[in-house]
Amino acid sequence: MTDPEPDRLLLAVDPGSAKCGLALLTESGRVLEMAVVARSELAATVSQLVQGRPLAALLVGDRTTHRAVIGELQALGIEAPLHVVPEHNTTLRARERYLQDHPPQGWRRLIPRGMIVPPGPLDHYAALVMAEDWLASQSQPD
């Protein structure tokens, strides 16, 4: 009896000039890891995340510093297709996605959602939103 083929992975990068968001998830959409890393640590972190893992695609947002980030990622020699994906509205959607995963508790439930400020940067959630959008677009017929 053979084990079923493991889910291949997607790595999404929300590029920025000072920091980048990363989301590593399976093709079925299960989130494995998310992080916000300093721009200077991006290549080392990505290299560590994907080492020895079957990567189906590498997704990079199409805005701030994306060309430089693409160059760094290509220099790593990752053997997976690289896709530049739209970042339109991902910051707003990242906040909503964060609140979906971390719903307000106690008295904070009384605060309108638009006024709730997450405790830190949401670049990793922006990367996750981009990956989820890309997965949804891949499952739709042409």
Side-chain angles (χ1 to χ4, degrees):
M1 180 187 243
T2 61
D3 290 329
E5 186 176 319
D7 244 352
R8 294 183 315 157
L9 307 179
L10 302 174
L11 179 64
V13 180
D14 175 33
S17 53
K19 62 188 180 323
C20 295
L22 301 172
L24 182 68
L25 57 158
T26 65
E27 284 183 304
S28 62
R30 186 169 53 93
V31 177
L32 301 176
E33 295 187 46
M34 294 194 322
V36 177
V37 299
R39 177 75 172 75
S40 60
E41 298 172 12
L42 177 65
T45 303
V46 167
S47 182
Q48 187 177 29
L49 274 175
V50 302
Q51 186 174 13
R53 292 177 156 167
L55 202 59
L58 185 55
L59 312 172
V60 178
D62 66 354
R63 302 264 168 103
T64 311
T65 71
H66 79 279
R67 287 185 179 94
V69 165
I70 288 170
E72 285 181 36
L73 295 174
Q74 287 175 329
L76 294 174
I78 298 171
E79 293 186 21
L82 188 141
H83 302 275
V84 177
V85 296
E87 278 191 62
H88 184 68
N89 281 338
T90 55
T91 302
L92 289 172
R93 292 175 52 226
R95 173 186 269 204
E96 193 56 40
R97 185 66 169 79
Y98 173 85
L99 292 173
Q100 182 183 350
D101 286 354
H102 304 90
Q105 302 293 312
W107 62 269
R108 292 183 183 271
R109 290 180 299 163
L110 303 174
I111 300 173
R113 284 178 93 81
M115 294 180 67
I116 297 174
V117 179
L122 295 176
D123 303 73
H124 53 321
Y125 273 91
L128 177 59
V129 167
M130 287 187 298
E132 290 173 340
D133 287 351
W134 188 82
L135 281 171
S137 75
Q138 298 304 299
S139 64
Q140 293 178 0
D142 291 331

